């Protein structure tokens, strides 16, 4: 707004301005920031869950491979038991049910959906809960040799863990045939 005043034979022009933001503009910016921050929080939560799932898969595959290695190195069959109802798996020697220990001296015995594996569920898919590695590392289910099969599923098929007749353990996101990792 411009005003003109006469002062001692001179016209003086003065411009006044209202600088700042209106309340509506501030509210709009706050709403936009809130929407964007909500989207980031949701995405971070999904990433954390996928990371926990992938970590659980990698640990399960490592445990399967270690159980197989122990069967071959000790020349003793190892049974890998999956208990879907309790979200647990463990490995024991078939001849005396002695627990198989990993390289750190800890038993191969994992329970999911606890502090370390929150929201991770394990399901036996094709072994009837029992997979045995013979003393030469060959995977058997109920005394029958198989070419490849899904051994367990994590989070309702989000990840499928496969084992092949050669003993190679792999996984596939969303089911399907193993990736050969």
């Amino acid at each position: 707004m411009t005003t003109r005043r006469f002062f001692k034979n001179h016209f003086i022009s003065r411009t006044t301005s209202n600088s700042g933001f209106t309340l509506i503009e501030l509210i709009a910016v706050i709403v936009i920031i809130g929407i964007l921050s909500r989207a980031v929080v949701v995405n971070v939560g999904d990433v954390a869950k996928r990371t926990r799932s992938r970590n659980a898969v990698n640990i399960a595959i490592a445990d399967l491979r270690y159980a197989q290695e122990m069967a071959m190195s000790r020349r003793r069959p190892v049974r890998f038991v999956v208990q879907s109802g309790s979200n647990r798996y463990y490995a024991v020697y078939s001849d005396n049910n002695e627990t198989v220990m990993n390289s750190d001296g800890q038993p191969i015995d994992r329970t999911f959906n606890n502090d370390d594996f929150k929201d991770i569920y394990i399901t036996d898919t094709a072994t009837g809960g029992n997979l045995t590695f013979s003393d030469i590392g060959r995977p058997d289910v109920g005394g029958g040799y198989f070419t490849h099969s899904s051994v367990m599923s994590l989070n309702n098929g989000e990840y499928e863990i496969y084992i092949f007749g050669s003993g190679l353990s792999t996984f596939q996101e969303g089911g399907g045939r193993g990736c050969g990792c």
Side-chain angles (χ1 to χ4, degrees):
M1 168 194 239
T2 303
T3 58
R4 294 186 133 206
R5 294 166 90 202
F6 184 75
F7 184 72
K8 292 187 181 183
N9 299 329
H10 296 285
F11 279 103
I12 299 175
S13 294
R14 188 202 277 169
T15 305
T16 60
S17 69
N18 294 331
S19 62
F21 300 103
T22 67
L23 182 59
I24 299 293
E25 291 170 329
L26 288 174
I27 290 173
V29 168
I30 291 171
V31 167
I32 290 170
I33 289 172
I35 291 170
L36 292 175
S37 66
R38 174 74 177 163
V40 169
V41 168
V42 169
N43 195 16
V44 169
D46 290 345
V47 169
K49 184 176 180 184
R50 281 194 310 268
T51 302
R52 279 193 310 273
S53 295
R54 186 71 182 259
N55 185 33
V57 166
N58 289 334
I59 289 171
I61 288 174
D63 286 345
L64 271 167
R65 290 177 178 167
Y66 193 79
Q68 181 185 31
E69 289 174 21
M70 292 307 292
M72 292 185 298
S73 67
R74 300 274 168 92
R75 306 290 289 163
R76 295 170 63 190
V78 170
R79 194 165 38 101
F80 196 89
V81 180
V82 177
Q83 294 177 329
S84 301
S86 57
N87 287 316
R88 175 181 178 227
Y89 68 77
Y90 61 92
V92 295
Y93 291 102
S94 295
D95 53 2
N96 64 359
N97 284 332
E98 175 190 348
T99 302
V100 176
M101 305 298 231
N102 66 19
S103 58
D104 296 329
Q106 299 296 317
I108 295 180
D109 188 340
R110 304 251 185 232
T111 302
F112 293 91
N113 196 27
N114 59 17
D115 295 335
D116 295 333
F117 300 106
K118 182 181 175 204
D119 299 326
I120 306 294
Y121 299 94
I122 187 170
T123 307
D124 170 57
T125 55
T127 65
N130 289 296
L131 168 70
T132 301
F133 291 106
S134 71
D135 60 350
I136 59 171
R138 186 182 77 189
D140 294 317
V141 176
Y145 175 74
F146 61 93
T147 56
H148 75 274
S149 180
S150 171
V151 175
M152 65 182 96
S153 170
L154 277 82
N155 289 348
N156 298 322
E158 180 181 352
Y159 292 93
E160 291 280 334
I161 297 175
Y162 287 82
I163 191 158
F164 291 82
S166 64
L168 174 66
S169 304
T170 68
F171 76 94
Q172 177 70 38
E173 290 186 54
R177 289 199 49 180
C179 70
C181 302

